[in-house]
Amino acid sequence: MKLLLFIDRIYSKIMIFFTLLTIPFFMVSVYLYMQLPNIIPVQWGITLIPSNWGNKANIFIFPIVLMIVTALMSRKTISS
């Protein structure tokens, strides 16, 4: 019971933290998108030689996933 009260008290702070964390990641991604070449390495082997290449739009994956996870973890979504 005490744990649930503790989680309820800090839940909004955690959500604000993740929302504010998304903004700089998205801004850095937009800046890097303009600077990067069209094809970038997206996976490296154990010898640190690129083993897979992708489009520069792949840098938006992390900020988008972070926004989706934050939206899915909202109180309204969890309670339903």
Side-chain angles (χ1 to χ4, degrees):
M1 184 71 169
K2 288 183 182 183
L3 179 64
L4 293 176
L5 291 174
F6 175 72
I7 290 173
D8 196 43
R9 249 185 32 224
I10 65 166
Y11 184 80
S12 60
K13 293 178 180 113
I14 292 171
M15 292 304 292
I16 290 170
F17 171 74
F18 278 109
T19 303
L20 292 177
L21 186 66
T22 303
I23 294 169
F25 277 121
F26 189 74
M27 291 171 56
V28 167
S29 296
V30 169
Y31 173 75
L32 289 176
Y33 184 80
M34 294 182 281
Q35 306 294 325
L36 290 172
N38 286 333
I39 297 176
I40 59 171
V42 293
Q43 181 181 6
W44 290 266
I46 196 162
T47 58
L48 299 180
I49 296 174
S51 60
N52 198 1
W53 299 83
N55 192 351
K56 68 180 180 179
N58 288 345
I59 62 171
F60 289 106
I61 290 174
F62 184 71
I64 290 172
V65 168
L66 192 58
M67 283 189 289
I68 290 171
V69 168
T70 304
L72 290 176
M73 296 305 293
S74 69
R75 281 190 183 166
K76 190 179 284 188
T77 306
I78 290 173
S79 64
S80 64

